[in-house]
């Protein structure tokens, strides 16, 4: 069977050793005795601000987006406040809002995951939330939410925080960053865990309107990210060519995996702009999950996320995708009557 392959967490599949980014000289320059302060973040702030088309002080950093989002929920979505999410979506969002002490309201979109502006506005009207969360592309469904849907909420409800999780936005090639200047209640979340191939580093970024950024900085912990993380993240961010080629590879491999799944009778892959594909199977998804596992392929079973009959596969290396498709052809083929 060979080694098991993990296609379950939407990570970049090839190892990225730290030594690829930090030289011995860098290690001498990164000193550990002082608190991080604002200095070690300066270069990363400048590189990302230029890429995002914003000013450097519109960014805040944290230990992955789970950390930046928890901070945001503590500030805007805590006790006595409500966060609206459109399900099925990334369950960590709901967990973070709950940990922060807030309530979660759900609008169940189901499959296919298509949200119209009318539906989004009606959900906001119904639940009167303090924070509305849009995840685009959405995990686990993979598709996009239209910019106009999100902006119509931000415009109709200027006193509500509209948080857009763009963890997979660079893979899709879409972003609402240009809308930030005219929408002070919009916040955009980014991460180094996907096409930056650094899920283990833990680097999350929030991008705010300048006015909101100032208020958030006043409340934020000043030393929440280590100098080591900043040094590595700066090197990774500078390596734009590699990031672009990873995105191109993910897109072409994703299409190959999607075509392979579509060719199996009874299997329905959902369109994806991200580095994973949600697919519906004919039989019991838990049994299908177990059969993949028996063959050394770890997937994610998705009924517990509100996608009945579905599994999610992360896009792996070309060799891993070959192996996934070979196992899929055996495991998912309809059994003769
Ligand atoms: C939509 C979404 N947001 C955030 C994350 C987590 O990102 P991070 O590793 O930056 O905490 C994930 C991870 O899978 C995700 O799917």
């Amino acid at each position: 069977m060979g080694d098991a392959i993990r296609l379950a967490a939407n990570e970049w599949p090839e190892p990225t050793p730290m030594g690829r980014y930090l030289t011995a000289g860098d290690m001498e320059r990164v000193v550990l005795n002082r608190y991080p302060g604002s200095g070690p973040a300066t270069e990363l702030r400048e590189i990302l601000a230029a890429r995002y088309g914003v000013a450097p002080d519109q960014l805040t950093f944290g230990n992955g987006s789970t950390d930046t989002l928890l901070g945001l929920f503590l500030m805007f979505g805590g006790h006595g406040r409500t966060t609206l999410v459109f399900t099925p979506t990334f369950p960590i969002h709901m967990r973070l809002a709950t940990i922060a002490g807030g309530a979660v309201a759900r609008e169940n979109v189901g499959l296919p995951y298509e949200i119209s502006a009318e539906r989004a506005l009606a959900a906001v009207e119904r639940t009167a939330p303090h924070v509305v969360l849009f995840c685009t592309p959405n995990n686990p469904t993979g598709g996009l939410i239209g910019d106009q849907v999100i902006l119509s909420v931000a415009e109709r409800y200027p006193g509500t925080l509209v948080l857009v999780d763009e963890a997979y936005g660079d893979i899709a090639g879409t972003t609402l960053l240009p809308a930030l200047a005219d929408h002070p209640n919009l916040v955009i979340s980014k991460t180094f865990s996907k096409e930056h191939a650094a899920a283990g580093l833990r680097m999350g970024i929030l991008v705010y309107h300048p006015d909101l950024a100032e208020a958030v900085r006043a409340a934020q912990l000043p030393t929440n990210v280590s100098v080591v993380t900043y040094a590595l993240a700066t090197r990774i961010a500078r390596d734009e060519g590699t990031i672009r080629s990873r995105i191109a590879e993910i897109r072409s491999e994703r299409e190959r995996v999607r075509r392979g799944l579509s060719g199996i009778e009874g299997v329905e892959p959902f369109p994806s702009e991200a580095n994973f594909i949600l697919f519906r199977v004919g039989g019991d998804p838990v049994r299908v999950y177990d059969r993949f596992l028996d063959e050394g392929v770890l997937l994610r079973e998705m009924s517990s996320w509100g996608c009945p009959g579905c599994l999610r596969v992360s896009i792996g290396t070309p060799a891993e995708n070959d192996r996934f498709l070979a196992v899929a052809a055996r495991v998912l083929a309809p059994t003769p009557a």
Side-chain angles (χ1 to χ4, degrees):
M1 184 171 84
D3 290 340
I5 56 173
R6 291 166 43 158
L7 303 176
N10 304 341
E11 300 144 322
W12 180 252
E14 272 143 14
T16 41
M18 186 163 91
R20 183 178 303 167
Y21 292 104
L22 280 194
T23 63
D26 292 326
M27 304 245 210
E28 289 302 316
R29 278 187 293 276
V30 177
V31 290
L32 303 175
N33 56 308
R34 301 284 181 199
Y35 285 109
S38 57
T42 305
E43 197 180 341
L44 180 64
R45 199 175 278 291
E46 282 166 3
I47 294 169
L48 294 180
R51 186 174 305 161
Y52 297 163
V54 298
D57 61 9
Q58 285 177 252
L59 309 180
T60 64
F61 300 115
N63 282 289
S65 39
T66 40
D67 179 53
T68 54
L69 294 179
L70 179 60
L72 197 79
F73 284 123
L74 286 168
M75 279 183 247
F76 297 97
H79 182 69
R81 294 176 157 249
T82 301
T83 294
L84 170 64
V85 297
F86 295 85
T87 53
T89 193
F90 188 47
I92 297 285
H93 293 148
M94 294 172 251
R95 201 190 305 171
L96 293 172
T98 307
I99 291 170
V104 175
R106 296 158 194 241
E107 171 71 6
N108 188 30
V109 180
L111 297 174
Y113 190 81
E114 285 163 8
I115 307 174
S116 65
E118 293 68 35
R119 181 164 196 171
L121 289 166
V124 179
E125 183 68 27
R126 176 176 63 82
T127 58
H130 303 82
V131 180
V132 181
L133 208 157
F134 293 100
C135 185
T136 178
N138 185 46
N139 179 11
T141 51
L144 295 166
I145 301 170
D147 290 356
Q148 267 321 311
V149 175
I150 300 171
L151 295 180
S152 65
V153 171
E155 284 162 14
R156 176 86 60 91
Y157 295 93
T160 301
L161 195 81
V162 177
L163 171 59
V164 187
D165 188 334
E166 293 189 355
Y168 305 96
D170 289 355
I171 298 173
T174 58
T175 181
L176 271 176
L177 284 165
L180 264 186
D182 297 330
H183 297 85
N185 55 335
L186 204 58
V187 183
I188 295 175
S189 174
K190 301 269 190 191
T191 177
F192 272 34
S193 297
K194 310 301 171 185
E195 73 289 336
H196 286 65
L201 179 66
R202 311 309 295 136
M203 169 48 67
I205 304 121
L206 292 177
V207 195
Y208 301 89
H209 184 276
D211 297 346
L212 196 54
E214 202 180 321
V216 166
R217 257 199 317 279
Q220 205 197 15
L221 295 173
T223 51
N224 62 332
V225 177
S226 92
V227 291
V228 180
T229 304
Y230 280 130
L232 278 160
T234 304
R235 286 300 169 107
I236 291 170
R238 266 206 223 125
D239 189 9
E240 273 197 65
T242 304
I243 295 167
R244 270 199 300 275
S245 67
R246 286 198 199 105
I247 291 173
E249 182 179 332
I250 291 170
R251 290 179 182 169
S252 75
E253 282 296 299
R254 182 187 66 216
E255 277 324 288
R256 196 165 72 81
V257 172
R258 194 195 54 75
R259 275 197 307 277
L261 283 170
S262 317
I264 303 171
E265 202 187 319
V267 175
E268 182 193 356
F270 290 88
S272 173
E273 300 289 334
N275 64 341
F276 56 83
I277 297 176
L278 181 75
F279 59 100
R280 190 149 38 203
V281 296
D284 172 6
V286 177
R287 277 201 53 205
V288 173
Y289 168 88
D290 285 342
R291 289 199 57 204
F292 270 100
L293 199 57
D294 290 344
E295 302 251 14
V297 177
L298 179 64
L299 302 178
R300 217 19 114 85
E301 195 280 309
M302 284 288 141
S303 351
S304 62
W305 287 31
C307 302
C310 293
L311 293 105
R312 191 192 67 193
V313 58
S314 304
I315 303 305
T317 62
E320 287 172 342
N321 299 332
D322 285 344
R323 183 155 153 211
F324 165 72
L325 288 171
V327 173
R330 278 198 300 281
V331 166
L332 298 173
T335 38

